[in-house]
Amino acid sequence: MRVYFVMDIMNGLCVAAERGERDRYMPVSKKSSIIDTDNPIEIVKVLRPKYLYVADLDRILEKGDNTEIILKLKEGVDELIADCGFKKVEELEVEFTPVVGTETFDITQISRKCYVSLDFKGKFLDASKKFKDWESAVEYLNTLDLEGIIVLPLHTVGTLKPDFDLVSHVLNASSHPVLLGGGIGNLDHLKKAKDLGLDGVLIATAIHKRNIPIEIIQKGEY
């Protein structure tokens, strides 16, 4: 099972995400016990993750663009996948693996191989307004050639309490590899995720709090 280290970037700096309440995100150094910088490039140099997931919050919120930083980050890892708040098909032609979030993108317009993030915040977030629920969205996604599906309940981000119930249902419904973001808090959670059959997890808070050894993101596997 792959383990992706997560970086949320806002105003060019890494921030600590919590419950999807983006207006309250703080610089990550204020909440981390392993780093004392908010510079994304420096953080990657210090932690040396093998796989990296980036959320460009400025693009998601339509307040800016951190693409230049993301391309520099890509040079320091084996694989970088990123959600940049994509809204148009042409925006997916990037030099890294795009993550298309249902919060911002009409997934019926997907025309290239990518990850799809099933976004939730209490309810399924569907920018297309074409699906009655996440199940019907997954049924549609099963007809596409994708890298995989990321289950991202934003309300669990930073809580150290993953929604295994939701991701189990998605696993049963999806024909694609499934990854879980949000809430992975300790080694027991990693074991449960692997036992469920997940292809990957996204983690950040548990690393910053030393609940999970840094060596795991450096290895990139569990």
Side-chain angles (χ1 to χ4, degrees):
M1 181 179 72
R2 279 196 173 189
V3 179
Y4 287 82
F5 181 59
V6 174
M7 297 183 74
D8 292 274
I9 302 177
M10 183 182 288
N11 298 322
L13 301 175
C14 189
V15 296
E18 190 169 347
R19 299 180 187 274
E21 298 170 357
R22 293 168 179 146
D23 56 333
R24 300 177 63 183
Y25 287 5
M26 299 173 60
V28 72
S29 62
K30 293 185 179 298
K31 294 210 166 186
S32 178
S33 63
I34 58 171
I35 55 166
D36 58 6
T37 178
D38 302 308
N39 183 308
I41 308 299
E42 292 303 314
I43 291 172
V44 164
K45 285 180 180 178
V46 171
L47 300 185
R48 295 180 290 112
K50 185 172 185 178
Y51 304 123
L52 187 64
Y53 166 98
V54 176
D56 185 340
L57 298 178
D58 293 311
R59 282 191 63 178
I60 291 172
L61 297 171
E62 300 183 317
K63 292 183 176 180
D65 189 328
N66 295 290
T67 301
E68 187 175 332
I69 292 173
I70 292 172
L71 292 176
K72 288 180 181 177
L73 289 171
K74 179 176 178 287
E75 297 172 4
V77 298
D78 281 20
E79 182 190 17
L80 185 147
I81 66 177
D83 183 344
C84 297
F86 302 111
K87 292 180 176 64
K88 301 177 182 178
V89 172
E90 54 267 28
E91 294 175 355
L92 302 182
E93 298 304 319
V94 290
E95 297 176 43
F96 48 84
T97 304
V99 176
V100 171
T102 61
E103 177 186 11
T104 58
F105 195 93
D106 177 352
I107 58 172
T108 66
Q109 301 302 309
I110 292 173
S111 59
R112 63 157 289 179
K113 200 167 185 179
C114 61
Y115 283 96
V116 171
S117 178
L118 291 178
D119 299 329
F120 299 82
K121 194 172 182 185
K123 63 179 182 179
F124 175 52
L125 303 178
D126 175 24
S128 77
K129 296 181 171 50
K130 295 174 181 175
F131 301 99
K132 67 179 186 295
D133 48 33
W134 70 260
E135 290 94 340
S136 55
V138 168
E139 185 177 350
Y140 171 77
L141 291 171
N142 284 343
T143 69
L144 304 180
D145 182 21
L146 302 175
E147 296 284 355
I149 289 178
I150 299 171
V151 179
L152 186 58
L154 292 164
H155 50 280
T156 68
V157 170
T159 66
L160 305 177
K161 296 177 181 179
D163 192 337
F164 284 122
D165 184 55
L166 174 61
V167 77
S168 295
H169 288 303
V170 176
L171 265 170
N172 289 333
S174 178
S175 62
H176 296 295
V178 176
L179 296 76
L180 175 62
I184 294 291
N186 53 49
L187 291 172
D188 287 341
H189 290 162
L190 285 181
K191 183 178 185 306
K192 183 167 183 176
K194 185 174 183 177
D195 289 346
L196 281 174
L198 290 177
D199 286 83
V201 294
L202 315 180
I203 59 173
T205 304
I207 294 294
H208 289 294
K209 290 184 176 294
R210 298 184 185 270
N211 291 4
I212 292 176
I214 296 172
E215 289 77 15
I216 286 180
I217 60 168
Q218 292 172 341
K219 184 180 179 182
E221 306 285 342
Y222 181 81

